[in-house]
Amino acid sequence: MSSIQLADQIFVLLKHWLVGRVPVSLQPVVGILITVIPIICVFPALFAITTILERKGLGRIQNRYGPNRTGPFGILQPLADGVKALTKEDIVPANADKVVHFFAPVVLVMLVFLAYAVLPMGRNMAAVDLDCGVLFFFAIGSGTEVAVFMAGWSSRNKYALLGAMRAIAQMISYEIPLILSAVAAIMIAGTLNLQQIVTQQAGYSGIFPHWYVFTPWGFAAFLLFIISATAESNRSPFDLPEGESEIIAGYYIEYSGFKFALFFLGEYLGMFSISAIAITLFLGGWAAPFSFLTWVPSWLWFFAKLVTMILCFIWVRGTLPRLRQDQLMNFAWKFMLPMALVVLTSAACWRYTEGWQRWAISFLVVIIPYSWLGHGMMSNRKLEQRKYRFAE
Amino acid sequence: MNLSFLIPAIILLVGAAAANMLRNLVHCVLALTLAFAGFALLYFGLGAEFLGLVQLLVYVGAVAILIAFTVLLTGGGTAGEQTVLSPRWLQGFLLAGAMFLLLGYGISKSRFTAHAATSVRSYPVSLIGDALITSYALPLEMLGVLLTVATIGGVVLAIREPRQASQSVKVDQ
Amino acid sequence: MNTELLGVPPDTITRREVIYDQEGETLEISMGPHHPSTHGVFRMDVRLEGERIVRLKPVIGYLHRNHEKIAEGTTYLGSIPYTDRLDYFCSLTNNWAYCMAVEQLAGFEVPDRAQYLRVILSELTRLQNHASAVGFLVQDMGASGTPIMYAFREREKILDLFEALTGSRMMCNYMRFGGCRVDLPAGWIDQLKALMKTLPAFLEEFEKLLVSNEILMARTQGVGVLSAKLAVNAGVTGPMLRATGVNYDLRKVDGYGFYPRFEFKVPLGEHGDVYDRYMIRVLEMRESVKILNQAIEQLPEGPIIDPKAKLRGFRPKPGESYGRLEAPKGELGFYLISDGSPNPYRYRVRPPSFVNLTILEDMCLGANIADAVIILGSVDIVLGEVDR
Amino acid sequence: MLGGGILKGLAVTARNVVEGFVSKERLTTVQYPEERVPQVEATRDFPFLVFDGEDPMAGLRCVACQICEKECPPKCIYIDKSSDKKPDATGKPQFYPARFDIDISVCMSCQICVEVCPFEAIKMDVEFELSTNDRFDDLLYDKHKLAKSNEYYNHVHPTEAAAVDTKLAVERAKAAARAAAAAQPKPAAVSPAPESGAQA
């Protein structure tokens, strides 16, 4: 085994070695623990890094420094935040449904962690190599709505209820284009297994990879997926459920201290996992972006892509204002859903044509409905940049 | 009886019992969600991954939320505590018992039972997919049409004449 | 105000009759006074059907500080610092309006240089007020602070100028009846010229960031529509009135100060929605830059205060006066009655934010709760002025 | 096309991020306790009392005329006039403030007191780090805490102080000349005035 392969498979080998050390009867349990523990350590750590990254990034976008007082360049800020969250008083409203109020963040974080079971974080690095991994991911993801409902309802707060209603309506609506745009990739890959979807994209023509995002349908599907993912993880510009300027914090308005931190964690972990799925489906998962870079360990590529996606989310958050509830719904049902179906058609065209024609056909199949729908959306409500008259 | 059956079964039973016996309707809905999840786990235990996941996606992700919203919108969430036994508990018990007997009879007569122990193996999803769009294409399409009709019906029921919001302000001179 | 001049029939009073939905289906929430986007301690009692507003009751008074009564017990000079605190974004225009009222009462002549300084400072005030108003408006739409930080970055430069001249960034307390307090310090004009060179680039960037943004257009166009008729009847002034298409700018109508000497245009809207109000402010900023450039060119030398003006122990002869000007938020007026004593007998402020706020419910009915927030933002209120 | 405006906005923010690293124009933040912006001459926050010479209490220019107390809009100045007279910096016997307190928790930094003072005795300070542990006693400044030297005044507001000094010197020279003229017939009353006038 070459050193490149060793670096690539180091975690897998380590796990095998460790499991081999224990008695046979304990091996399944130890194997599970060794797989699970890194996941529940690495991703919260990534969450901590992301909070500081987000605050720094937003700061830079807004011409500020961002937090820079705790530790060198403020890198200890997440630690300070964590200590603060842990030591804060845990306030439960007197009228709240205490049991449900307690379980809502627990259920959320539990479900979000479950989704990590199928993510391929490197070559041979998925906790469970499930045959229908994509489906598993979406099924678990849909469960988070229950947690949101629990939080919103149990707080007995009108803002919380409004936030929960918004969140659930939004999540259910955007789940459809999310899954449909994923179906395009699944259709081309011909499998629901995430590892296999990655291996299908891991080939190269020349130095360029066969990622689905570099095809017309794949690019459109990727954009649709990312937009839906943004909505699904309640990120700006779809952060209506917590719409700070309207309903203050939405469904977690009545949470404080560590429970609030759990919600925060759940939200970010949801964002990571859905970005990871987007990477897996369209950006070649752990595959290197150029053929001459394949010597870099696969898990490094995965995390590099993940961080890039997170940075894009931060960038978008720093730029865009928020949509309104009805516009959000209109966008989901009148634009995203038809476009997802169009992309599906385009992917089918790609599947059954050859050579340059497949590029042309699938491109046209995407772009014509897009411009038509986009124009329709703008002119329907007469949205335009206006000309103004001036009085002397 | 191994753990992989016992745990889902307990979850299922506890959830179902709680859904019946809790006194707050929203709690009942949450318990029902738990029961749905128990079902999904049972399917996993039987090796029917696909079915289990669909159960999760549809029942936990959509149906449970739908019921929760129905309860909320009809005021059940704030209607106060319900009594554990409804006035018509006897009819309910009779109906449930009859249903149980019927199902039990059906299962005991079924020819699947003989093979149940050996059939625990997972089917690849592609087989299910192939089956759905080849031999079961017509039922699938019919289901689709049925759902579409149901959706349209729901929309027709739910749609209201948009109330003239802007006209509710009268500007007199 | 001559309403026929504005092309609107002279109506008398507007009465409103709101049909409320059945109580059962609605949800009443109290937005504020501790709400992040009520721009201060302002409360809206909102009754919602779903997320649609069926009733909105503005509740004010949380910041009431008895301004008018205090001014009646204070000397004419001593009221000037209090006017700073009315609309604390635009202390200089407040100063000017008050001084204008006192000057009318006492018949002081303001020297040329002081007039120019007043125009310069008032246009700078307009620039920084509009920049931050637009930034806050987009902030209310949930833009996580980016536009407001850009606006504040430029606003800081203007505030630096204020500080260099008046000693304070916001509570300037600069104008006196009869002129201004101190003359320009050395290098101030150069600083201003340098700022005027960089400001258009900022306006450009701001427009690029937001004006063509589809989300912003979707959120603002057709939202919170205010008809010209209702606006005129309710006494709405400022950018809000001009967004409805009524050409009414006191700088043109009254021609107070030296405004007739400058060439500038008044941008007018058409639809009277939030987008128009937003754009009118953006366009007015460009016009302000134009006025400033002319004023810098023309600024004469000379005294800055009328030698007749007496600040301490000032007792105007009995009479009354009303001084008004086009503050960034609308018509700001000070009504004074003097009985010959050192204190005004009656002192009354006509605050633009307060008057503009009165039609909030009319604009919000039928809108989404998220719209109420941006409609409030587009009114551009400062609670210091609303509650006084 | 739908999405064009959004891309434009994204380009603007990206540009701001990049330029924030190279241009001071963009990233205007000043890291406060370590870095400070240069003091602006006209800045004002709370008033202080100017004294001439070495002894703060003896050299106070304030003669307890109580004009500022009356004119102060929020009425935050409390003055007790002395019952006796003491010679001021020019040696002329004057009343002096037995008590001169300013409640800076009430003061709104309007500098009306400075404008109305006929004796150039009260001026605006620039010191802004004034946090204390007691919001009542520690924020009520007495005359010992308020008294600051003319040198300090010259240091914080050089242009304004120079003008004030010139004006005072002219006035004092005039006063000295008048005193000298008045003193010609009665030389007994003159003694210390010319020296301390020259000192100032």
Side-chain angles (χ1 to χ4, degrees):
Chain A
M1 182 179 276
S2 71
S3 59
I4 292 173
Q5 271 171 322
L6 180 69
D8 194 29
Q9 295 297 307
I10 183 152
F11 296 115
V12 180
L13 295 173
L14 207 62
K15 177 187 162 188
H16 282 276
W17 181 77
L18 277 174
V19 171
R21 305 258 98 188
V22 298
V24 180
S25 57
L26 287 178
Q27 271 182 3
V29 179
V30 172
I32 290 169
L33 282 181
I34 289 175
T35 322
V36 169
I37 288 171
I39 290 180
I40 57 176
C41 293
V42 166
F43 284 93
L46 188 62
F47 159 65
I49 296 168
T50 308
T51 53
I52 183 81
L53 207 63
E54 171 145 36
R55 291 174 65 183
K56 282 270 191 193
L58 278 182
R60 282 292 170 173
I61 284 174
Q62 298 167 6
N63 294 328
R64 296 185 284 117
Y65 283 103
N68 63 353
R69 294 280 147 177
T70 325
F73 301 104
I75 51 170
L76 295 181
Q77 189 67 41
L79 206 68
D81 289 345
V83 170
K84 189 195 84 171
L86 277 172
T87 52
K88 249 179 134 172
E89 187 190 353
D90 178 33
I91 301 168
V92 181
N95 282 335
D97 192 312
K98 306 223 165 31
V99 179
V100 181
H101 190 265
F102 173 79
F103 274 109
V106 177
V107 169
L108 181 74
V109 171
M110 200 184 75
L111 286 176
V112 165
F113 267 122
L114 265 183
Y116 282 86
V118 290
L119 294 182
M121 296 162 213
R123 203 186 301 269
N124 304 329
M125 278 170 70
V128 187
D129 193 6
L130 211 56
D131 201 21
C132 34
V134 183
L135 196 64
F136 176 85
F137 181 86
F138 291 125
I140 295 296
S142 71
T144 54
E145 287 152 22
V146 179
V148 169
F149 171 77
M150 286 164 76
W153 175 78
S154 66
S155 299
R156 296 286 154 81
N157 181 311
K158 289 166 182 172
Y159 286 112
L161 203 57
L162 276 177
M165 295 254 194
R166 282 179 171 197
I168 291 166
Q170 172 177 333
M171 285 162 106
I172 288 181
S173 306
Y174 277 88
E175 221 156 65
I176 296 161
L178 184 81
I179 294 178
L180 277 180
S181 51
V183 163
I186 294 166
M187 200 165 81
I188 297 296
T191 171
L192 281 169
N193 184 319
L194 287 164
Q195 285 282 10
Q196 284 174 27
I197 291 176
V198 176
T199 30
Q200 296 240 350
Q201 299 178 68
Y204 298 89
S205 334
I207 59 163
F208 296 107
H210 289 167
W211 298 358
Y212 290 149
V213 72
F214 296 129
T215 57
W217 65 269
F219 185 69
F222 175 67
L223 285 185
L224 288 178
F225 191 90
I226 284 301
I227 293 171
S228 312
T230 321
E232 196 78 349
S233 51
N234 299 340
R235 295 276 307 178
S236 172
F238 303 104
D239 56 345
L240 290 95
E242 63 224 55
E244 179 239 324
S245 61
E246 295 146 24
I247 51 171
I248 311 170
Y251 52 88
Y252 50 70
I253 186 170
E254 291 289 8
Y255 282 90
S256 65
F258 197 61
K259 286 185 204 157
F260 178 78
L262 278 184
F263 265 109
F264 215 55
L265 176 75
E267 192 127 306
Y268 274 83
L269 288 182
M271 181 179 93
F272 299 158
S273 63
I274 213 155
S275 311
I277 281 287
I279 291 168
T280 308
L281 288 178
F282 300 102
L283 295 177
W286 39 257
F290 298 106
S291 58
F292 54 84
L293 284 175
T294 41
W295 55 272
V296 180
S298 55
W299 42 273
L300 264 184
W301 280 123
F302 175 81
F303 280 100
K305 286 174 189 174
L306 190 56
V307 171
T308 316
M309 291 280 289
I310 291 167
L311 288 177
C312 287
F313 276 124
I314 294 172
W315 185 17
V316 168
R317 181 178 169 194
T319 309
L320 297 182
R322 179 185 308 132
L323 279 163
R324 202 173 60 203
Q325 185 69 29
D326 56 327
Q327 291 161 354
L328 186 88
M329 290 295 154
N330 274 346
F331 190 63
W333 295 101
K334 294 186 183 165
F335 181 81
M336 296 291 286
L337 185 61
M339 275 312 290
L341 293 172
V342 163
V343 165
L344 218 52
T345 320
S346 167
C349 295
W350 177 269
R351 179 86 171 72
Y352 290 106
T353 45
E354 280 301 322
W356 65 270
Q357 292 161 341
R358 64 176 359 185
W359 287 88
I361 292 174
S362 63
F363 178 74
L364 286 179
V365 167
V366 170
I367 201 73
I368 292 171
Y370 167 71
S371 56
W372 184 64
L373 270 175
H375 182 74
M377 282 211 74
M378 298 293 282
S379 60
N380 205 11
R381 288 199 49 221
K382 300 194 186 60
L383 299 183
E384 54 182 7
Q385 283 191 62
R386 294 176 183 164
K387 290 261 177 278
Y388 285 88
R389 65 199 167 94
F390 289 85
E392 280 303 320
Chain B
M1 211 177 259
N2 57 357
L3 274 180
S4 64
F5 173 74
L6 210 56
I7 295 173
I10 290 172
I11 292 178
L12 175 56
L13 284 179
V14 167
N20 275 307
M21 286 152 74
L22 284 176
R23 296 172 67 187
N24 184 310
L25 270 182
V26 176
H27 287 170
C28 296
V29 173
L30 293 173
L32 189 64
T33 317
L34 191 70
F36 286 151
F39 260 119
L41 286 180
L42 267 185
Y43 289 137
F44 286 140
L46 291 172
E49 282 172 8
F50 183 76
L51 198 57
L53 291 172
V54 169
Q55 165 85 13
L56 271 185
L57 191 64
V58 173
Y59 278 89
V60 176
V63 173
I65 292 294
L66 204 66
I67 298 175
F69 263 81
T70 318
V71 167
L72 271 195
L73 292 178
T74 50
T78 50
E81 312 276 276
Q82 320 276 324
T83 50
V84 175
L85 289 182
S86 84
R88 290 185 299 281
W89 63 275
L90 191 62
Q91 288 98 309
F93 264 111
L94 285 179
L95 201 65
M99 194 72 192
F100 184 76
L101 285 180
L102 189 69
L103 280 176
Y105 177 76
I107 290 170
S108 67
K109 286 288 165 194
S110 157
R111 55 200 166 85
F112 287 135
T113 43
H115 313 289
T118 54
S119 67
V120 180
R121 67 180 189 82
S122 107
Y123 289 99
V125 186
S126 49
L127 274 188
I128 300 174
D130 281 341
L132 274 181
I133 56 167
T134 49
S135 44
Y136 295 100
L138 188 66
L140 185 72
E141 293 295 318
M142 279 168 67
L143 269 180
V145 171
L146 182 72
L147 284 176
T148 314
V149 169
T151 312
I152 294 172
V155 169
V156 169
L157 282 181
I159 205 162
R160 275 185 295 181
E161 289 297 310
R163 267 190 249 168
Q164 309 292 314
S166 52
Q167 287 178 9
S168 66
V169 182
K170 284 183 187 161
V171 180
D172 296 7
Q173 290 174 10
Chain C
M1 171 157 71
N2 185 352
T3 49
E4 271 166 2
L5 183 92
L6 306 169
V8 179
D11 290 343
T12 46
I13 307 165
T14 311
R15 272 192 292 120
R16 282 178 288 123
E17 187 189 325
V18 181
I19 300 164
Y20 296 123
D21 293 61
Q22 312 94 296
E23 297 286 302
E25 281 186 29
T26 55
L27 177 74
E28 184 158 14
I29 63 170
S30 168
M31 290 180 84
H34 298 278
H35 189 279
S37 43
T38 50
H39 294 232
V41 279
F42 174 64
R43 186 155 77 89
M44 296 187 278
D45 252 344
V46 188
R47 193 167 268 285
L48 298 175
E49 189 197 57
E51 288 214 9
R52 199 169 65 81
I53 294 172
V54 294
R55 195 187 73 194
L56 186 147
K57 200 173 128 215
V59 183
I60 59 166
Y62 294 96
L63 203 63
H64 181 56
R65 349 184 257 301
N66 233 339
H67 172 72
E68 290 171 359
K69 202 68 199 167
I70 288 177
E72 285 164 19
T74 314
T75 58
Y76 284 89
L77 175 66
S79 288
I80 296 177
Y82 282 119
T83 63
D84 287 339
R85 285 147 178 86
L86 275 177
D87 175 357
Y88 40 76
F89 268 82
C90 328
S91 61
L92 285 158
T93 46
N94 298 344
N95 284 177
W96 191 1
Y98 174 69
C99 292
M100 196 186 267
V102 180
E103 279 153 15
Q104 282 177 17
L105 206 57
F108 294 141
E109 283 295 317
V110 183
D112 282 7
R113 186 172 170 83
Q115 290 281 28
Y116 272 99
L117 283 181
R118 284 179 174 189
V119 169
I120 288 174
L121 291 171
S122 127
E123 290 310 313
L124 281 175
T125 305
R126 196 181 314 281
L127 267 173
Q128 58 100 354
N129 177 72
H130 282 356
S132 38
V134 168
F136 279 130
L137 175 55
V138 187
Q139 169 92 330
D140 287 342
M141 276 175 238
S144 73
T146 307
I148 189 71
M149 291 310 281
Y150 292 174
F152 266 51
R153 186 186 71 212
E154 302 307 311
R155 178 171 178 260
E156 280 303 296
K157 296 175 186 162
I158 296 175
L159 293 191
D160 282 344
L161 283 174
F162 286 171
E163 189 185 11
L165 174 59
T166 70
S168 183
R169 304 171 78 77
M170 287 171 81
M171 304 298 140
C172 295
N173 182 21
Y174 176 67
M175 290 172 199
R176 295 285 176 265
F177 20 96
C180 299
R181 180 158 58 79
V182 288
D183 206 344
L184 298 179
W188 198 84
I189 282 290
D190 299 326
Q191 231 178 312
L192 178 60
K193 276 181 187 157
L195 179 64
M196 285 303 114
K197 283 210 183 70
T198 58
L199 212 56
F202 157 68
L203 294 176
E204 207 112 292
E205 179 184 279
F206 209 68
E207 284 184 22
K208 223 195 261 169
L209 176 65
L210 294 169
V211 170
S212 62
N213 190 317
E214 283 87 353
I215 297 179
L216 184 123
M217 282 196 257
R219 280 302 297 278
T220 52
Q221 294 194 352
V223 170
V225 176
L226 175 64
S227 67
K229 190 174 158 189
L230 181 59
V232 171
N233 281 342
V236 171
T237 46
M240 265 186 89
L241 179 64
R242 291 192 285 278
T244 65
V246 180
N247 178 13
Y248 185 75
D249 186 329
L250 285 176
R251 291 176 293 176
K252 294 284 189 193
V253 175
D254 276 10
Y256 64 91
F258 277 181
Y259 275 111
R261 297 194 184 185
F262 302 112
E263 231 176 74
F264 66 99
K265 290 176 192 159
V266 181
L268 295 178
E270 202 176 327
H271 304 77
D273 54 9
V274 175
Y275 187 78
D276 270 1
R277 276 167 233 154
Y278 167 83
M279 279 308 292
I280 294 294
R281 292 201 173 93
V282 170
L283 295 171
E284 273 187 16
M285 281 198 269
R286 292 191 176 281
E287 297 301 318
S288 288
V289 172
K290 269 192 218 163
I291 297 178
L292 278 166
N293 281 330
Q294 295 170 46
I296 297 169
E297 287 302 309
Q298 299 171 13
L299 182 67
E301 291 297 323
I304 55 158
I305 192 157
D306 186 356
K308 283 194 307 215
K310 188 181 164 207
L311 298 178
R312 185 157 62 83
F314 170 66
R315 288 163 179 267
K317 52 187 182 305
E320 58 180 317
S321 70
Y322 180 64
R324 63 172 188 176
L325 54 71
E326 183 71 27
K329 294 182 170 65
E331 174 186 331
L332 172 68
F334 282 84
Y335 177 63
L336 294 173
I337 300 181
S338 160
D339 56 358
S341 68
N343 313 328
Y345 172 74
R346 179 77 176 100
Y347 172 103
R348 154 94 184 132
V349 189
R350 188 239 185 250
S353 323
F354 174 66
V355 179
N356 291 355
L357 193 61
T358 51
I359 46 162
L360 184 66
E361 184 177 15
D362 301 63
M363 292 192 285
C364 286
L365 282 184
N368 200 301
I369 185 166
D371 288 336
V373 168
I374 60 164
I375 291 171
L376 179 69
S378 74
V379 178
D380 185 18
I381 56 165
V382 162
L383 263 295
E385 194 177 55
V386 173
D387 289 344
R388 302 195 293 296
Chain D
M1 190 159 282
L2 185 69
I6 289 171
L7 291 181
K8 244 192 247 173
L10 286 171
V12 169
T13 43
R15 207 181 122 216
N16 268 288
V17 172
V18 174
E19 286 189 14
F21 284 98
V22 290
S23 146
K24 202 72 194 148
E25 269 291 294
R26 297 255 172 218
L27 194 67
T28 49
T29 312
V30 175
Q31 304 274 319
Y32 161 61
E34 296 91 24
E35 297 171 35
R36 279 151 192 271
V37 283
Q39 192 80 55
V40 179
E41 218 188 299
T43 305
R44 59 179 145 97
D45 44 43
F46 295 110
F48 69 95
L49 295 173
V50 188
F51 68 84
D52 293 313
E54 295 300 317
D55 180 9
M57 286 308 106
L60 277 185
R61 288 180 185 167
C62 178
V63 299
C65 67
Q66 294 178 315
I67 289 174
C68 54
E69 189 184 20
K70 286 192 201 89
E71 289 285 342
C72 176
K75 302 278 180 277
C76 68
I77 304 178
Y78 309 97
I79 304 175
D80 284 346
K81 200 172 187 174
S82 65
S83 48
D84 57 329
K85 288 191 177 184
K86 278 207 286 199
D88 67 355
T90 59
K92 198 171 152 197
Q94 294 276 26
F95 289 109
Y96 61 95
R99 178 173 87 123
F100 195 111
D101 290 350
I102 296 182
D103 188 345
I104 65 161
S105 62
V106 174
C107 175
M108 58 184 193
S109 315
C110 64
Q111 82 168 53
I112 295 281
C113 51
V114 176
E115 280 169 67
V116 297
C117 182
F119 302 97
E120 309 288 353
I122 190 164
K123 294 292 168 198
M124 297 307 278
D125 205 347
V126 295
E127 181 58 50
F128 55 87
E129 287 158 323
L130 300 165
S131 54
T132 60
N133 291 324
D134 184 345
R135 65 196 165 111
F136 300 109
D137 291 343
D138 287 355
L139 293 178
L140 184 69
Y141 283 18
D142 62 5
K143 62 177 175 176
H144 299 280
K145 207 163 174 186
L146 287 169
K148 292 193 175 163
S149 68
N150 193 24
E151 285 74 41
Y152 175 78
Y153 178 42
N154 269 294
H155 175 66
V156 295
H157 299 301
T159 328
E160 189 189 311
V164 166
D165 277 358
T166 331
K167 183 184 153 210
L168 280 184
V170 169
E171 272 175 17
R172 280 171 188 175
K174 269 188 198 159
R178 243 183 289 130
Q184 280 315 346
K186 280 188 278 175
V190 190
S191 55
E195 292 122 63
S196 38
Q199 226 175 27

